Amino acid sequence: MLTKSKRTLHRVLDLHREIAQARLSRRELIKLGLVTGGSGLLGLGGTWLSKASALDVILPSPSTTAWVEQLPIPSVLEPSALGGPDPNPAAHQFYNRFPPQKTYRVRAEEKPHSFHRDLIDSPIWGFNGVFPGPTSESDGGPWNWTERGQYTDHHYCMARAGFTVPETIPAEWRDASGGDIRETLTTLFFHYHRPDFTSAGVYKGLASMVRFFDEKDTGDETQGWRLPSGPYDIPLMVADKKFDPRTGELVFDDFNLDGVLGDKITVNGKIQPFLEVKRRKYRFRVLNAGPARFYTFVLRRGGKYQPFTQITDNGNLLERPRKNLTKLETWPAERSDIIIDFKRFQPGDKVYLANILPMKDGRQPDRKSTLNPDRVENQLIEFRIGGEAADPSRVPDAFRPFPPIDLSEVAQRRVWNFERGNGMWQVNGKLWDSDIDHTPKQLANPPVQVKRNTAEIWVLKNLSGGWEHPLHIHFEEGRVLTTNGVAPTMAQRSRQDMYRLGRDTTTEVFLRFRDFPDPEFDPSVELGRRARYVLHCHNLTHEDHAMMATWNIVP
């Protein structure tokens, strides 16, 4: 006979499943009274559970055995035939200047997925039905959704920034298209973006990575910088999950308004996999796919931290590699390419990638404490050292310099306040609302207009108390000028599209907005649709509730 507490537990879990099947948005849950924005309470047959209690009854997940399954390596998406109506050039910017050279087809599909052999398969939503999706600029925005059976075609011209104003770029850094070679991207993250459902969609598997190569970062160990390439260039998508303790099926906490955390950490969709490696250098493209957990990654062997080298920061190469690191803090949606040289280890050795940063809720990590990296529950991957392998790869002492910051280009200083009000998340005192954002009035005259081919300073202020926010600005990489009035050191400098808004933090960012919108873009399209982008918190629960704002670049 079930006790009252166990009956409540079962009802909570069943309710989660029913809501997932009904596809109710979080705003609909609040309207129905199942969740209240102020206190985060869960209504359950006349019984009210606190938010913490709701999480407590769902956790822990069933136990799983570590290091019994191999790390999956995401496949590389291959070009395909178009398989549909020809794209309308007038519907895409710079379509004729940069005509498509390749076509890729990606389907969003529900398929069963095995997170671990000790658990039953769980239905996931994946690009081409897998998690992570196949490895293939912008992942769109909260307007680019399609209903079942529909499709959308996207055109990515893959041109470096500045191609419409080549005269502003020194000749030695100008490519054949007129863009700035110093603005080359490396590793990006694309994911589901539907309003109110972003967190659930990404959590359920609609997430993938993109790798870019160029004249120096060639993907060939015999040319250019000769970075580790081919089978030695491996994406690592890290994401925490939780599972129904009765069935072992993946569950998502729809009632959590702070930030969904799981007690099982997956890498490329597997719980605690192993990877057999050779005694040579590897490039790992590490992505924190969230939806809310922060990590501090360490490499561990024999009770000691092992060094590694960071070469990129959030999709951009550093000016110089950061060598001999032993810790790497990584916020949601952040990406870092790291080089690990396994040559220092012996065949048969085991090396562990572990997390040492505790996090109890979606507010912020507990940086005053440290998890034990030698306890198996804090370890993510077991690297098994194998035999010798030829290693012509190199790590250069320097990559490319960053474009200089010229404050005389600044046309406007714009302030963005990230706040909490009435239990919801706000930007400049407003909740992002898709119904308001899509109105003809707003499309005809967007509220935030950035002038094309100008620069601005954006002041990002965290006014939400003890909460921390990983902020993502779409379209353009920027440079941090100051954080709480202090300029970054040479070692801290980077180009980035993610900005860390710690508790009570104010960050000033320099951004250039070039090229878009296309001057020849269809003039019948409303001004607000021509070059519309968003900024949002990448704790995806905060984005869904509704810490996001729209801005436009205008001619």
Side-chain angles (χ1 to χ4, degrees):
M1 182 175 179
L2 293 176
T3 65
K4 182 178 179 180
S5 62
K6 286 187 177 179
R7 286 197 300 270
T8 301
L9 162 63
H10 288 188
R11 181 62 186 127
V12 169
L13 294 169
D14 290 339
L15 188 58
H16 274 270
R17 183 175 290 105
E18 292 165 10
I19 288 172
Q21 292 172 348
R23 303 291 196 266
L24 292 176
S25 74
R26 295 172 182 234
R27 297 186 198 194
E28 290 170 324
L29 292 177
I30 292 173
K31 290 177 182 178
L32 291 171
L34 291 172
V35 176
T36 64
S39 57
L41 298 181
L42 160 66
L44 189 60
T47 301
W48 289 93
L49 296 176
S50 73
K51 178 175 51 187
S53 298
L55 288 172
D56 288 342
V57 296
I58 293 170
L59 298 176
S61 298
S63 62
T64 52
T65 306
W67 328 130
V68 293
E69 294 187 271
Q70 239 176 340
L71 175 77
I73 308 298
S75 62
V76 176
L77 189 65
E78 297 295 335
S80 64
L82 186 59
D86 291 338
N88 175 13
H92 300 286
Q93 300 187 66
F94 296 106
Y95 189 94
N96 294 318
R97 177 166 179 174
F98 300 102
Q101 304 298 308
K102 297 179 181 179
T103 299
Y104 296 89
R105 178 181 294 182
V106 180
R107 293 184 174 92
E109 301 175 297
E110 182 175 272
K111 291 286 183 69
H113 175 82
S114 174
F115 288 95
H116 195 281
R117 72 179 192 185
D118 294 344
L119 305 174
I120 67 168
D121 288 1
S122 293
I124 58 115
W125 307 328
F127 292 121
N128 288 352
V130 296
F131 174 71
T135 305
S136 98
E137 180 187 280
S138 167
D139 51 7
W143 325 278
N144 303 113
W145 67 74
T146 56
E147 300 296 342
R148 182 173 299 177
Q150 296 179 341
Y151 76 93
T152 301
D153 56 334
H154 300 263
H155 172 245
Y156 299 115
C157 61
M158 306 302 290
R160 295 172 169 115
F163 62 85
T164 63
V165 284
E167 67 280 2
T168 66
I169 302 166
E172 67 268 29
W173 297 115
R174 194 185 312 145
D175 68 14
S177 299
D180 194 330
I181 295 171
R182 298 168 296 183
E183 302 244 4
T184 306
L185 299 176
T186 54
T187 306
L188 297 187
F189 169 34
F190 71 91
H191 62 81
Y192 187 70
H193 248 297
R194 186 158 186 168
D196 301 332
F197 292 97
T198 300
S199 184
V202 173
Y203 182 89
K204 291 290 291 288
L206 289 169
S208 193
M209 299 171 72
V210 181
R211 299 181 300 173
F212 292 139
F213 299 97
D214 62 70
E215 305 90 337
K216 292 291 188 179
D217 188 1
T218 60
D220 184 335
E221 296 183 349
T222 67
Q223 299 180 35
W225 286 317
R226 300 171 60 182
L227 292 166
S229 304
Y232 309 108
D233 178 354
I234 298 176
L236 298 179
M237 182 184 290
V238 181
D240 56 323
K241 311 291 181 186
K242 54 190 173 185
F243 299 85
D244 189 321
R246 303 170 300 171
T247 65
E249 186 173 281
L250 181 69
V251 293
F252 179 76
D253 188 359
D254 297 276
F255 306 110
N256 186 316
L257 304 185
D258 299 340
V260 173
L261 301 178
D263 61 342
K264 295 289 185 181
I265 298 177
T266 67
V267 184
N268 291 353
K270 283 290 183 182
I271 299 169
Q272 293 186 299
F274 68 87
L275 178 65
E276 296 177 346
V277 296
K278 302 292 186 181
R279 297 183 64 236
R280 56 152 292 154
K281 291 186 290 298
Y282 282 71
R283 176 180 186 171
F284 293 104
R285 302 182 188 237
V286 183
L287 161 67
N288 178 355
R293 184 175 292 279
F294 295 53
Y295 299 92
T296 295
F297 296 119
V298 299
L299 198 63
R300 196 76 169 170
R301 161 68 184 162
K304 296 181 179 180
Y305 292 116
Q306 304 295 326
F308 54 88
T309 297
Q310 181 185 4
I311 63 171
T312 76
D313 186 13
N314 290 307
N316 298 263
L317 284 159
L318 297 166
E319 289 183 305
R320 294 181 177 276
R322 296 170 180 164
K323 299 182 178 180
N324 296 314
L325 298 182
T326 57
K327 300 177 183 179
L328 182 65
E329 186 167 322
T330 305
W331 292 31
E334 290 189 345
R335 290 133 282 136
S336 293
D337 291 15
I338 63 173
I339 305 294
I340 299 177
D341 192 347
F342 294 105
K343 185 73 172 179
R344 72 176 74 96
F345 306 113
Q346 300 304 311
D349 284 352
K350 294 179 179 178
V351 182
Y352 296 92
L353 182 70
N355 171 47
I356 62 171
L357 185 60
M359 192 169 185
K360 299 176 182 178
D361 56 35
R363 183 180 295 268
Q364 61 181 9
D366 179 8
R367 295 188 179 86
K368 295 181 180 178
S369 303
T370 301
L371 298 175
N372 185 343
D374 298 321
R375 291 182 64 89
V376 68
E377 61 265 28
N378 300 323
Q379 297 172 334
L380 283 65
I381 305 175
E382 179 181 83
F383 295 111
R384 298 178 179 177
I385 311 302
E388 305 293 328
D391 187 8
S393 69
R394 300 286 185 272
V395 180
D397 292 329
F399 295 111
R400 300 180 178 105
F402 297 144
I405 295 174
D406 185 354
L407 295 181
S408 68
E409 298 177 36
V410 174
Q412 185 164 341
R413 183 181 177 90
R414 201 180 299 271
V415 177
W416 301 93
N417 295 321
F418 297 85
E419 305 158 310
R420 184 172 173 84
N422 298 321
M424 300 285 277
W425 302 102
Q426 303 172 346
V427 180
N428 288 346
K430 296 180 181 179
L431 302 175
W432 190 87
D433 189 306
S434 58
D435 293 334
I436 295 175
D437 184 80
H438 299 0
T439 59
K441 179 180 178 181
Q442 189 128 319
L443 292 174
N445 186 27
V448 179
Q449 300 184 19
V450 177
K451 188 72 174 176
R452 178 177 183 261
N453 289 333
T454 66
E456 294 192 356
I457 293 176
W458 284 12
V459 182
L460 315 174
K461 293 186 175 183
N462 184 356
L463 304 178
S464 59
W467 301 85
E468 296 191 351
H469 303 291
L471 180 69
H472 178 36
I473 298 177
H474 283 220
F475 178 73
E476 183 59 89
E477 283 69 36
R479 296 272 303 280
V480 171
L481 297 175
T482 64
T483 300
N484 290 339
V486 179
T489 66
M490 288 293 293
Q492 295 170 331
R493 288 174 40 162
S494 66
R495 294 181 69 246
Q496 58 205 94
D497 56 14
M498 293 294 306
Y499 304 92
R500 297 180 175 184
L501 292 189
R503 179 174 182 170
D504 301 324
T505 292
T506 297
T507 297
E508 294 182 307
V509 179
F510 175 86
L511 294 151
R512 287 186 179 96
F513 303 92
R514 286 167 293 178
D515 307 322
F516 292 82
D518 180 357
E520 298 179 359
F521 191 43
D522 188 346
S524 66
V525 176
E526 304 102 316
L527 178 66
R529 292 188 190 271
R530 294 190 197 176
R532 183 165 55 152
Y533 303 96
V534 292
L535 54 80
H536 62 87
C537 179
H538 230 293
N539 178 329
L540 293 177
T541 302
H542 296 183
E543 175 185 341
D544 285 338
H545 278 285
M547 189 173 269
M548 180 159 61
T550 305
W551 54 277
N552 290 76
I553 306 176
V554 298

